[in-house]
Amino acid sequence: MRLFATRLEPLLRLGGIRVPRFWVAVDEADRVLGTVGLYETGDGVLWLGWFCTAPEARGRGVGRRLLNHAIDTARSEGQSSLRLYTSTDPNEAAAQILYERMGSRVTTRMRPFLWRLVGASTEILYRERHLMP
């Protein structure tokens, strides 16, 4: 697996995202296996984002390696914690297990008003992982 760094900073700044970095993992045949990224917001918080693995790459350690790369990068930059948001959607169940195993704990659960209004039971989960001992 190889990782490639890419940057689309001007476009992402429009959404309040600062210092975006993301990496794409590919195999020997240059097929995309997954992505992961880090970004900052105006309040100086470092967020993990854009994390996904291709269905055919799941269960092979690709997601764990991508998350470890992001965590190691955040640590090397002196960050004390890393946040992410996800949801309770069943499609994200495997990711929830991986986030827990990697030490990311739920700090807040919420169901946006619009989601409640349309009868959705899915919640947004905010997670945080402390990086320093």
Side-chain angles (χ1 to χ4, degrees):
M1 179 174 83
R2 295 173 294 154
L3 292 176
F4 292 93
T6 58
R7 293 182 69 116
L8 293 174
E9 194 162 345
L11 180 62
L12 295 172
R13 274 191 178 277
L14 295 174
I17 293 174
R18 299 175 186 199
V19 195
R21 288 114 348 130
F22 54 98
W23 299 270
V24 178
V26 298
D27 65 11
E28 314 76 44
D30 287 336
R31 290 180 298 239
V32 173
L33 301 175
T35 64
V36 70
L38 296 171
Y39 64 93
E40 295 175 19
T41 54
D43 55 4
V45 173
L46 186 65
W47 291 84
L48 182 127
W50 310 298
F51 174 63
C52 69
T53 55
E56 63 275 8
R58 294 179 185 151
R60 296 179 19 206
V62 173
R64 180 175 294 279
R65 290 167 64 185
L66 286 165
L67 287 177
N68 278 331
H69 179 77
I71 290 166
D72 291 345
T73 300
R75 272 195 187 118
S76 73
E77 294 174 357
Q79 297 291 329
S80 61
S81 65
L82 184 59
R83 295 183 186 167
L84 67 99
Y85 66 90
T86 183
S87 81
T88 58
D89 185 287
N91 291 321
E92 297 183 32
Q96 299 305 329
I97 293 167
L98 182 57
Y99 295 144
E100 284 290 324
R101 288 182 181 160
M102 301 289 290
S104 176
R105 303 294 177 236
V106 174
T107 58
T108 306
R109 300 175 76 102
M110 64 177 283
R111 195 163 44 129
F113 174 74
L114 186 57
W115 294 9
R116 288 190 307 255
L117 192 63
V118 298
S121 60
T122 303
E123 294 178 299
I124 293 175
L125 302 177
Y126 288 91
R127 293 180 165 274
E128 184 167 8
R129 164 128 200 260
H130 296 285
L131 302 175
M132 302 299 169

